[in-house]
Amino acid sequence: DTEVTQTPKHLVMGMTNKKSLKCEQHMGHRAMYWYKQKAKKPPELMFVYSYEKLSINESVPSRFSPECPNSSLLNLHLHALQPEDSALYLCASSHPGTGYTEAFFGQGTRLTVV
Amino acid sequence: AQTVTQSQPEMSVQEAETVTLSCTYDTSESDYYLFWYKQPPSRQMILVIRQEAYKQQNATENRFSVNFQKAAKSFSLKISDSQLGDAAMYFCAYANTGNQFYFGTGTSLTVIP
């Protein structure tokens, strides 16, 4: 199994809503990532979890709250988002540290904030 | 912070021909990894090829090969015998041992039948 599964694939939410994005992998990877990607732009790193601990937060606004409940799951909780937060949100996973650090990506969640 | 530069926003190639996509990067680290990812309209990022910085030999994967020039900090991708399915956005990426991936701005490749 070399898949990273993201749900939902599409999400429309109002600015006062609370929603969550989910990411799951069963490759034994202990590093998991959230990226934000705008149209025709590269992915921008948001968060990195290494061994279920938050290791990198790229100064992301607090309306985005990550959570890593176990080594296979990664969530992104959304609250009070702005229209400019509309984007493709990509989850990825890899082996942490030195060695084989290829990142496997999910298909993303297309988020629209109205 | 590391930077990755792709100077070709768009490229096109005739089917069955060869095309080279350019990438340069800037880093002060000695141990790192370089990748080319492909993102078709289906939007999933797919690994095309990887290169470990400590390896001098250029990586190859079937029709895809790289020209890795460590001193020049250059990492270009050559696609031989281009196929229609190669049309996509291509991102060059750098990863350090701290699990931080940095992506270039991308090159949109069109394959002309």
Side-chain angles (χ1 to χ4, degrees):
Chain A
D1 184 1
T2 58
E3 281 193 354
V4 176
T5 304
Q6 288 188 245
T7 54
K9 288 191 168 35
H10 300 273
L11 178 63
V12 179
M13 61 184 290
M15 288 188 285
T16 59
N17 292 158
K18 286 185 181 180
K19 296 287 184 182
S20 297
L21 309 185
K22 181 179 173 181
C23 174
E24 192 168 4
Q25 57 88 14
H26 297 286
M27 294 177 278
H29 291 166
R30 303 300 295 277
M32 296 186 76
Y33 313 76
W34 281 115
Y35 285 87
K36 173 183 177 180
Q37 187 179 25
K38 291 280 202 179
K40 298 188 188 299
K41 297 290 187 182
E44 297 174 19
L45 183 64
M46 300 175 71
F47 303 103
V48 180
Y49 273 83
S50 183
Y51 295 98
E52 296 85 67
K53 287 185 169 42
L54 183 65
S55 59
I56 296 171
N57 177 343
E58 293 283 359
S59 303
V60 178
S62 60
R63 57 185 184 269
F64 296 91
S65 176
E67 179 196 20
C68 190
N70 60 55
S71 60
S72 299
L73 283 175
L74 184 67
N75 299 320
L76 186 63
H77 303 297
L78 314 172
H79 173 54
L81 294 192
Q82 303 297 310
E84 60 265 28
D85 296 322
S86 299
L88 180 68
Y89 288 83
L90 293 166
C91 173
S93 70
S94 73
H95 290 292
T98 58
Y100 197 74
T101 60
E102 168 193 348
F104 290 79
F105 284 83
Q107 285 197 305
T109 295
R110 178 77 65 190
L111 174 67
T112 303
V113 181
V114 297
Chain B
Q2 284 73 15
T3 57
V4 180
T5 302
Q6 292 178 251
S7 59
Q8 306 153 315
E10 296 177 347
M11 292 281 284
S12 61
V13 62
Q14 291 284 144
E15 197 175 0
E17 296 294 310
T18 296
V19 64
T20 299
L21 308 185
S22 301
C23 173
T24 58
Y25 59 95
D26 185 26
T27 184
S28 57
E29 297 173 328
S30 59
D31 193 11
Y32 54 89
Y33 305 84
L34 297 165
F35 307 88
W36 280 97
Y37 280 90
K38 167 185 176 182
Q39 189 176 37
S42 67
R43 76 196 191 196
Q44 182 159 19
M45 298 279 279
I46 302 165
L47 179 71
V48 174
I49 199 166
R50 74 177 71 81
Q51 174 83 41
E52 291 88 345
Y54 64 85
K55 289 187 177 179
Q56 292 188 333
Q57 187 173 6
N58 289 326
T60 62
E61 284 287 342
N62 301 313
R63 297 182 294 107
F64 300 88
S65 61
V66 299
N67 183 1
F68 174 45
Q69 301 288 328
K70 190 171 184 179
K73 296 180 182 173
S74 170
F75 183 60
S76 61
L77 174 70
K78 185 170 84 171
I79 306 174
S80 303
D81 186 25
S82 297
Q83 300 175 359
L84 295 177
D86 294 333
M89 182 72 84
Y90 285 80
F91 290 101
C92 178
Y94 166 103
N96 61 20
T97 55
N99 297 115
Q100 289 172 287
F101 281 75
Y102 299 91
F103 288 86
T105 49
T107 296
S108 178
L109 179 66
T110 301
V111 180
I112 303 165

